[in-house]
Amino acid sequence: MGFPQIRLRRLRSNPALRSMVRETVLRPCDFIMPLFVCSGRAVETPIESMPGISRMSVDRCVEECRRIGKLGVNAVLLFGIPDTKDETGECGADDHGIVQQAVRAIKKALPDLLVITDVCNCGYTTHGHCGIVINGRIDNDRTLEVLALQAISHARAGCDMVAPSDMMDGRVGAIRRALDAAGFIDLPVMSYAAKYASAFYGPFREAADCAPRFGDRRTYQMDMTNSDEALREVALDLEEGADIVMVKPALAYLDIIHRVKTTFNVPVAAYNVSGEYAMVKAAAQKGWVRDDCIIMEILTSIKRAGASMIITYHAKEAASILREAYSR
Ligand code: PBG
């Protein structure tokens, strides 16, 4: 049967019908809000290339988390901006480090909020690379030890999940073994499994002060042209014990999200990154797009592609938009 018996427009004829046949529905609890934590008190430094996003001291972070939670967003992802860095990034494993302080404060004030920590070296090394540099090269295996120490330190501080973003080979296994040995057998790992070398990270590197001082990240992050390789990355991370696998960035990689979801049928996270956020905000500031509509369209596309959860700087505003839509 076809036209004229079949008319797909019938089910589009009014808002009630449209909402009944909607296939993809966003919820505030789908979102994870990234936060940049720095030292000090009452510090809130706006990040120029990410309008609406600031670096915040621990006290301000706790307040922000309270607002986030009230909107129905259940999770935050913490990035630390330490006062001092070192050659190996080992300062990231300091139990009194900035992320560790933030985790303790947030969990104390808001025990039900899920606190996820980004585990990586780039924010803690003087050279800004995600691994230990030896003779100008990133040493994979020695980096694993430092990453494992950092993950355990976050766990001791009380985080609910660790998210390694460095793209060293074998790091999920190394972190899993270290967590288990330290007694954190129930702490899940969300791995940045298919993380591409991307120009969309530009604003983040300003925010987290982690741009590499020499070279680039192409020897460890994935080449943007590859899709089969993403499946191999995900397969290995799952074998090593990853509980959630992430695809990053999101918007230019919707095909990867979809392939990962249909191939593995595991929880997939997508990271709607800083450059994607900045593009929307810049166009909206010029009055060229309506950011509320564009945000929902983008986030819906990421979920429709197969993401179970979306890490996004739009989390707060998207949750507010959903609230308003439901209260109408
Ligand atoms: C650190 C890290 C980066 C992002 C998350 N973790 C930057 C990078 O790899 O250069 C990017 C997040 C964003 O752009 O929003 N390894």
Side-chain angles (χ1 to χ4, degrees), residues 26 251 254 290-304:
L26 287 173
L251 210 41
L254 293 176
R290 276 196 55 179
D291 63 346
D292 52 348
C293 300
I294 289 252
I295 290 165
M296 297 324 265
E297 196 168 333
I298 287 173
L299 295 175
T300 300
S301 77
I302 296 169
K303 190 164 180 193
R304 196 182 59 226

Side-chain angles (χ1 to χ4, degrees), residues 190-323:
M190 174 164 79
S191 84
Y192 288 65
K195 178 175 178 180
Y196 288 85
S198 169
F200 283 101
Y201 307 151
F204 175 94
R205 292 181 188 171
E206 178 205 330
D209 182 28
C210 69
R213 302 289 185 271
F214 67 89
D216 54 39
R217 302 211 203 284
R218 286 168 202 257
T219 67
Y220 41 105
Q221 297 181 345
M222 280 183 60
D223 189 287
M224 66 171 171
T225 62
N226 295 350
S227 168
D228 289 342
E229 189 193 359
L231 301 187
R232 295 186 71 193
E233 282 284 4
V234 168
L236 284 169
D237 282 8
L238 290 171
E239 260 169 51
E240 290 174 31
D243 300 278
I244 296 171
V245 287
M246 192 198 299
V247 175
K248 178 186 174 187
L251 210 41
Y253 299 84
L254 293 176
D255 57 322
I256 309 298
I257 297 173
H258 189 252
R259 269 192 95 185
V260 168
K261 184 65 195 178
T262 50
T263 306
F264 297 99
N265 269 308
V266 296
V268 176
Y271 201 140
N272 175 218
V273 300
S274 58
E276 301 172 43
Y277 177 85
M279 289 196 303
V280 170
K281 290 294 163 191
Q285 278 180 356
K286 283 193 171 282
W288 291 348
V289 296
R290 276 196 55 179
D291 63 346
D292 52 348
C293 300
I294 289 252
I295 290 165
M296 297 324 265
E297 196 168 333
I298 287 173
L299 295 175
T300 300
S301 77
I302 296 169
K303 190 164 180 193
R304 196 182 59 226
S308 311
M309 65 206 86
I310 307 171
I311 300 157
T312 177
Y313 305 95
H314 296 298
K316 261 172 67 189
E317 47 188 340
S320 310
I321 294 168
L322 289 172
R323 285 234 153 162

